[in-house]
Amino acid sequence: MTSSRSKPGAKIERPAPLLHAHSHDYSRLLKRWRAVAPTVGLAVEVFAKADGHPLLHLYSKKSPPDAPSVYFSAGIHGDEPASTEALLTWVERNSEIARRLKLRIFPCLNPWGLIHNKRSNADGLDLNRCYHHSSMPIVAKHRRLVLQSPYDLALILHEDYDALGAYLYETSPAKPHWGEQIIAAMSPHLPPDSRRRIDTSRAKDGIIRRKITSETMLEWPEAFLLHFHGATRVFTIETASEFHIDSRVEAHVAAIDAAIALLID
Ligand SMILES: [Zn+2]
């Protein structure tokens, strides 16, 4: 009989260290955002407190007059840490490109959830179903800031435990569509999700395109607010939670790279 147990003294192979460790550490995330902001010409403000934690809003102080306007948000679901980590990583790696854009960034909309690895906030609410009304003070403040400017592009970053790879929602009618190129850019890190049905929508090669009307969902996700506000292109980007954190982060970074390249080309 053989034993699979290592012999005493045998060398144990250790896994490679994580490139994107500490993804649930909110204070570390804030420190990194505050450090990178001046290098990109971003103003930083605390626009609200959520469950005792500051919510950051960053925006370009001065950008070229014809700069494309871009909206970014992440971390509305706290158990989706590749979203918050990737957004920050992209800005850290792309300060020069970021300076050429007119940016509005919400780096983490649910810090309590991020710290506790929960989808909801501390009251058990899914914030991403609260954008059809303004009765929640945090959502009301967020909505006011969102509506202050038009956007050529909105990228909203998420993850999904049921996903088999990378997928996205492309809900704006702008053509040519960009979804295929964004999914292709993500594919060295995560395969496209092969499901033909994702939640209640039909999907093909990781892309969900659906027409949004006021009846599509009565409880609006954040993306609907951007859509009804008239953002030219709105993408919700999703990575599969059960893949390695580094692959998920790099897939999101690649998605942002691809979308920004298409925008400024
Ligand atoms: Zn989510």
Side-chain angles (χ1 to χ4, degrees):
M1 217 172 115
T2 53
S3 162
S4 60
R5 285 170 61 190
S6 316
K7 288 191 185 115
K11 204 172 165 213
I12 298 166
E13 255 193 53
R14 297 195 188 282
L18 293 175
L19 182 61
H20 298 287
H22 313 290
S23 59
H24 287 279
D25 185 339
Y26 188 58
S27 52
R28 188 184 163 103
L29 195 82
L30 294 185
K31 255 187 230 149
R32 283 170 63 196
W33 273 110
R34 289 188 187 282
V36 77
T39 72
V40 186
L42 292 169
V44 186
E45 66 167 10
V46 173
F47 77 93
K49 282 222 160 187
D51 306 314
H53 303 286
L55 289 181
L56 289 197
H57 165 224
L58 297 96
Y59 55 94
S60 301
K61 284 191 274 197
K62 207 167 76 184
S63 28
D66 55 347
S69 173
V70 181
Y71 175 93
F72 280 121
S73 94
I76 197 166
H77 293 142
D79 57 348
E80 301 174 6
S83 68
T84 37
E85 182 67 20
L87 180 48
L88 175 53
T89 301
W90 186 84
V91 173
E92 287 174 339
R93 289 182 191 166
N94 291 281
S95 56
E96 208 152 305
I97 295 173
R99 276 187 168 278
R100 288 156 50 194
L101 304 170
K102 186 169 186 279
L103 293 172
R104 188 183 301 286
I105 302 176
F106 294 91
C108 180
L109 288 166
N110 178 12
W112 183 92
L114 185 72
I115 293 162
H116 295 89
N117 199 26
K118 296 271 191 224
R119 179 179 174 90
S120 67
N121 71 357
D123 296 327
L125 271 177
D126 183 341
L127 294 168
N128 206 34
R129 297 291 180 271
C130 297
Y131 281 79
H132 52 296
H133 60 71
S134 308
S135 58
M136 273 185 69
I138 290 163
V139 171
K141 284 182 182 167
H142 182 207
R143 277 172 54 118
R144 262 202 299 280
L145 292 168
V146 171
L147 301 179
Q148 274 180 9
S149 49
Y151 306 101
D152 299 301
L153 172 66
L155 293 177
I156 299 173
L157 309 186
H158 281 260
E159 299 206 84
D160 182 349
Y161 282 99
D162 296 325
L164 304 177
Y167 73 92
L168 58 81
Y169 294 85
E170 181 167 25
T171 50
S172 33
K175 294 236 176 103
H177 290 311
W178 290 356
E180 283 78 3
Q181 290 177 75
I182 295 174
I183 287 289
M186 297 173 83
S187 66
H189 310 286
L190 281 191
D193 192 315
S194 55
R195 290 175 295 165
R196 301 304 302 265
R197 225 176 164 78
I198 296 179
D199 279 338
T200 55
S201 304
R202 269 191 314 162
K204 191 167 182 294
D205 303 324
I207 297 166
I208 300 164
R209 292 201 174 97
R210 59 178 186 181
K211 206 166 166 243
I212 295 179
T213 69
S214 51
E215 269 107 66
T216 308
M217 275 170 86
L218 297 180
E219 298 181 318
W220 289 9
E222 179 194 6
F224 280 33
L225 180 66
L226 273 301
H227 180 86
F228 288 122
H229 177 50
T232 309
R233 292 181 186 266
V234 182
F235 292 93
T236 301
I237 313 275
E238 302 266 0
T239 52
S241 304
E242 295 193 353
F243 282 67
H244 193 292
I245 180 76
D246 289 348
S247 306
R248 289 145 53 201
V249 171
E250 295 303 331
H252 270 298
V253 170
I256 302 173
D257 275 338
I260 296 296
L262 286 160
L263 182 71
I264 61 181
D265 264 359

